[in-house]
Amino acid sequence: MSSKILTEPRIEDPDDFYARLIAIHEGLNSEESQQLNSKLILLMANHIGDREVLDEALDIARNVQP
Amino acid sequence: MRYVRQIYPFNRPAELDSEERTHVPVIIVGAGPIGMAMAVDLASHGIRSIILDDDNKVSIGSRAICWSKRALEVMDRLGCGERMLDKGVTWNLGKVFFGERKEPIYGFNMLEEKGQQFPGFINLQQYYVEEYLIEAIEKQDLTDIRWESEVIAVQQSNNGATVSVSTPAGHYELDCDYVIAADGSRSPVRKMLGFEFDGETFQDHFLIADIRMKAEFPTERWFWFDPSFNRGQSALLHKQPDDVWRLDFQLGWDIDREAELKPESVSKRIRAMLGEELEFDFEWVSIYTFQCRQMERFVHDRIIFVGDAAHLVSPFGARGANSGLQDVDNLGWKLALILNGKAPASLLQSYNDERVSAARENILNSTRATDFITPKSEFSRIFRDAALELARDFEFARRFVNSGRLSVACIHHDSKLNVADLDVFNCKLVPGSPSIDAPVKVNGSQSWFLKLIGQQFTGVYFAKDGETTLQGATALLQDSIPVKTIVISNTSETETSVVEDHKGLLQQRLDAQVGSYYLFRPDQHLVARWRKFDPHAVREAVLHATMQPASGDSA
């Protein structure tokens, strides 16, 4: 199966994005952070729109092992 | 081979036995790598200085070990680069480990472009670098280095400063035009003058153990997140010359410092990391906390701060001594022009602006690395571990993994000394960047581009076939601030002084065409570039880069 999801680096200044991603969780408890993450995922999923890409992302996230 | 530290004797200075006051252009406080490099740089511009240091030997322990490509290029201009390269351990590769896995999750290369004299990094104990600088100081007679000489007061006046010195043989005073404080993170000069050093201390401890052992690990930077031998923490392994290895263990905040420093507990950690049978000797053991701090301004009239005295970062990223050497590179030529009456004192403002902004960038990078290595919240840790898990398979996730963004040359994008491009150039080099290196031939012999530019303003001209000189370039050499011109050709011209870009890499890296002309500052940063040489424009650019008013439309 050919892969449709883009996994090469695409975000300009990833350090800055990562710092912002962490910063928006500041002051939240665990439940609130999970809520925030869930909203983020739904927003991003809707933006992506493409079911094939979304299904691939779900599989990777579930199956990647440390 | 075990390193033998030399004691540098106190010599009774003439001032103790004379009523006459000594005046010297520059007094440098602190004979660390930055203070000494500063003296050598000033001497290279013909400026005399006295270095005062309260100690009588080079640094104890390896301390700074990672020297960046840019730092080596600066040290090469000061005559120490090749020695550092010869003695140091060259490395370009880093590997990142995570959790129980024995295999790294990925590796990275620090040197993106080949064909440069210096590698991405070398590792070399700080005391060697200090020794090389002491020798460079002894080779010329413009620097007077005074050991066991503690600065106890600094007083500014309208046109200079007075420094009070305490020695084993008594007190004396020295007058100077400028004081450069290179007296380290605890800077006594900064404290005496009451300047703030704002920032944060991170709630974490790290144990450095430099050990001597015979080991076959490759010369790479190995970094562990959450390894089995240091659960929940990080660790680092790095090779230095003389079979010395740097081990760095994160310990966390709640520790018993005394207990952790005991040789038996350090040995236990080392054996858990590298094997129970390991034979080794201690070279240096130390526990430290991270701090990120900087002064609001580095220039306070006649007192100028450089290195750790001005800015302090966490060690991950190797942005301490490497940024200090870039301070030196930036300040030396400016101060020399001012002291020689060729540029206004306001040129120092550009040292302040360029290096304060460089320090902010370093602190930002260092803080982010620290936050990644030591997540401040549970959620931050979960994100970190997710990035690490994805990093094994996906390049995009590696960009989030931060075990220290290692020091690269600072680009002064917003410097007032830059001249904005009027012509179009398509390359990484922009006004404010230090030039990238490239192999060239001089009189038929292999050399490097960065050896040819710098020290004074340098123009680089890309010649037509058969062209060996540039009309109008000789006159630039006669100016109050002279500009030397280097003529680059892609053909072999062994009988002339033309520099040959035999691999075409320089042309490529500078996006040069026939006729292109580049003006570099004495610290090798690009001021301006044109598709066509115009001596008037070059003169205006030199005035601009030295904070002098334009000459007006005389052309």
Side-chain angles (χ1 to χ4, degrees):
Chain A
M1 192 191 82
S2 72
S3 183
K4 215 176 161 189
I5 192 166
L6 305 173
T7 57
E8 71 276 13
R10 288 163 47 78
I11 299 172
E12 202 176 314
D13 198 349
D15 283 347
D16 190 64
F17 169 71
Y18 189 86
R20 177 104 164 72
L21 180 63
I22 300 305
I24 54 161
H25 286 273
E26 259 168 39
L28 302 185
N29 65 31
S30 174
E31 171 74 21
E32 290 164 334
S33 270
Q34 295 199 40
Q35 278 288 342
L36 189 156
N37 273 348
S38 302
K39 289 177 211 160
L40 259 181
I41 291 164
L42 294 173
L43 269 167
M44 290 175 177
N46 181 61
H47 179 85
I48 293 164
D50 186 330
R51 263 307 292 272
E52 276 181 68
V53 173
L54 291 171
D55 287 345
E56 278 184 62
L58 292 172
D59 289 343
I60 290 171
R62 174 78 196 195
N63 295 324
V64 157
Q65 298 295 323
Chain B
M1 184 192 78
R2 190 148 199 136
Y3 178 78
V4 182
R5 187 172 293 106
Q6 201 180 327
I7 299 296
Y8 298 94
F10 166 72
N11 293 318
R12 189 182 173 89
E15 287 81 6
L16 283 174
D17 307 304
S18 162
E19 289 301 304
E20 268 182 60
R21 297 272 288 232
T22 299
H23 180 280
V24 68
V26 179
I27 290 173
I28 296 166
V29 187
I34 308 307
M36 290 196 287
M38 193 72 244
V40 176
D41 197 352
L42 288 170
S44 78
H45 293 289
I47 303 293
R48 280 194 307 122
S49 67
I50 295 176
I51 307 180
L52 301 166
D53 194 276
D54 58 3
D55 202 2
N56 61 0
K57 52 193 166 307
V58 294
S59 76
I60 295 172
S62 315
R63 299 183 59 177
I65 60 164
C66 295
W67 305 89
S68 72
K69 182 165 80 68
R70 185 61 200 155
L72 290 166
E73 289 163 358
V74 172
M75 289 297 277
D76 196 44
R77 192 171 57 72
L78 303 181
C80 301
E82 287 178 6
R83 262 189 104 177
M84 288 176 69
L85 184 61
D86 289 346
K87 178 71 189 173
V89 171
T90 292
W91 64 279
N92 289 311
L93 290 176
K95 282 190 180 140
V96 176
F97 298 79
F98 177 44
E100 305 270 340
R101 291 170 54 87
K102 288 265 178 275
E103 296 302 309
I105 51 172
Y106 70 94
F108 57 91
N109 194 338
M110 286 301 300
L111 186 71
E112 286 173 5
E113 287 189 81
K114 291 195 163 64
Q116 306 189 63
Q117 184 184 12
F118 292 102
F121 274 93
I122 66 159
N123 285 356
L124 181 63
Q125 294 89 327
Q126 180 172 327
Y127 45 74
Y128 281 120
V129 179
E130 293 184 13
E131 273 190 9
Y132 301 161
L133 283 164
I134 290 171
E135 286 174 33
I137 284 169
E138 285 167 351
K139 266 193 230 153
Q140 36 87 9
D141 51 13
L142 291 172
T143 311
D144 176 358
I145 185 163
R146 300 185 179 186
W147 305 99
E148 291 186 62
S149 302
E150 185 189 358
V151 171
I152 50 168
V154 176
Q155 185 104 39
Q156 292 212 57
S157 64
N158 285 338
N159 51 8
T162 299
V163 171
S164 306
V165 190
S166 167
T167 75
H171 287 43
Y172 65 95
E173 293 190 331
L174 293 169
D175 296 324
C176 64
D177 295 314
Y178 288 94
V179 174
I180 297 178
D183 49 351
S185 61
R186 294 188 186 88
S187 177
V189 171
R190 192 185 64 226
K191 284 182 185 157
M192 275 173 224
L193 296 169
F195 295 129
E196 299 289 321
F197 199 41
D198 284 337
E200 59 180 320
T201 301
F202 291 87
Q203 299 220 324
D204 208 344
H205 288 100
F206 287 79
L207 171 78
I208 285 184
D210 280 352
I211 59 171
R212 203 170 293 101
M213 64 171 178
K214 297 276 184 202
E216 296 305 316
F217 303 110
T219 50
E220 299 168 349
R221 176 189 194 259
W222 285 8
F223 195 95
W224 286 263
F225 289 98
D226 194 16
S228 51
F229 58 83
N230 198 21
R231 269 274 94 113
Q233 311 284 1
S234 65
L236 176 80
L237 171 74
H238 232 174
K239 190 181 185 181
Q240 304 172 45
D242 308 338
D243 293 316
V244 174
W245 295 76
R246 159 77 45 98
L247 310 178
D248 198 321
F249 299 92
Q250 186 183 15
L251 301 180
W253 184 235
D254 267 328
I255 60 155
D256 179 346
R257 206 185 165 92
E258 295 290 302
E260 288 291 354
L261 277 171
K262 283 194 179 129
E264 54 271 28
S265 57
V266 181
S267 294
K268 206 176 147 203
R269 285 187 177 280
I270 293 169
R271 292 189 198 285
M273 180 185 192
L274 300 172
E276 292 302 324
E277 305 302 310
L278 188 76
E279 286 183 30
F280 65 90
D281 297 311
F282 287 114
E283 159 112 351
W284 181 55
V285 176
S286 169
I287 287 182
Y288 63 95
T289 53
F290 285 168
Q291 295 188 56
C292 285
R293 297 178 183 278
Q294 83 174 96
M295 296 179 76
E296 195 186 336
R297 284 186 293 132
F298 298 171
V299 178
H300 291 265
D301 301 316
R302 297 294 175 142
I303 321 285
I304 307 166
F305 290 83
V306 295
D308 282 0
H311 45 76
L312 187 60
V313 292
S314 73
F316 291 122
R319 288 166 182 265
N322 289 317
S323 69
L325 288 174
Q326 291 177 70
D327 291 346
V328 168
D329 196 31
N330 194 294
L331 179 58
W333 65 275
K334 293 174 181 174
L335 199 54
L337 284 177
I338 293 165
L339 287 165
N340 288 330
K342 293 183 171 182
S346 58
L347 183 56
L348 280 181
Q349 186 60 39
S350 75
Y351 164 74
N352 186 77
D353 295 349
E354 291 176 346
R355 297 312 299 167
V356 164
S357 117
R360 281 206 192 103
E361 184 181 311
N362 285 325
I363 286 178
L364 180 68
N365 275 290
S366 171
T367 302
R368 284 174 176 172
T370 309
D371 285 346
F372 194 89
I373 293 164
T374 312
K376 280 182 180 158
S377 67
E378 185 56 14
F379 237 76
S380 176
R381 188 194 58 75
I382 290 170
F383 265 113
R384 185 198 73 175
D385 290 354
L388 286 164
E389 286 183 17
L390 288 165
R392 189 184 45 157
D393 296 328
F394 300 106
E395 178 62 34
F396 86 93
R398 294 174 194 169
R399 305 292 171 101
F400 296 132
V401 173
N402 193 343
S403 68
R405 294 279 176 255
L406 289 156
S407 178
V408 290
C410 179
I411 300 171
H412 306 307
H413 286 286
D414 302 319
S415 173
K416 283 185 192 141
L417 306 191
N418 299 344
V419 176
D421 283 333
L422 292 174
D423 303 327
V424 178
F425 288 85
N426 265 316
C427 57
K428 274 194 235 159
L429 185 78
V430 291
S433 324
S435 179
I436 188 166
D437 203 3
V440 292
K441 279 188 179 175
V442 181
N443 294 322
S445 306
Q446 297 270 7
S447 188
W448 299 97
F449 179 60
L450 289 185
K451 289 197 181 294
L452 307 177
I453 65 167
Q455 201 57 36
Q456 55 177 316
F457 278 89
T458 310
V460 175
Y461 174 70
F462 285 79
K464 294 191 260 293
D465 276 351
E467 194 180 21
T468 55
T469 54
L470 174 62
Q471 193 93 42
T474 319
L476 289 175
L477 206 49
Q478 312 305 320
D479 287 358
S480 155
I481 298 177
V483 179
K484 73 173 172 195
T485 295
I486 290 169
V487 176
I488 309 276
S489 161
N490 56 7
T491 53
S492 179
E493 295 280 353
T494 47
E495 292 144 52
T496 69
S497 57
V498 170
V499 173
E500 190 193 341
D501 179 22
H502 59 294
K503 293 190 172 162
L505 280 174
L506 188 61
Q507 181 267 329
Q508 192 186 320
R509 286 170 183 178
L510 269 51
D511 185 31
Q513 298 165 3
V514 167
S516 297
Y517 186 95
Y518 301 75
L519 178 67
F520 291 97
R521 311 188 329 192
D523 58 10
Q524 301 176 332
H525 285 250
L526 182 69
V527 177
R529 53 190 170 178
W530 303 269
R531 286 298 179 199
K532 194 168 170 292
F533 172 64
D534 171 4
H536 176 68
V538 175
R539 287 197 169 95
E540 293 298 318
V542 170
L543 291 174
H544 184 85
T546 51
M547 300 286 266
Q548 302 185 75
S551 67
D553 265 347
S554 55

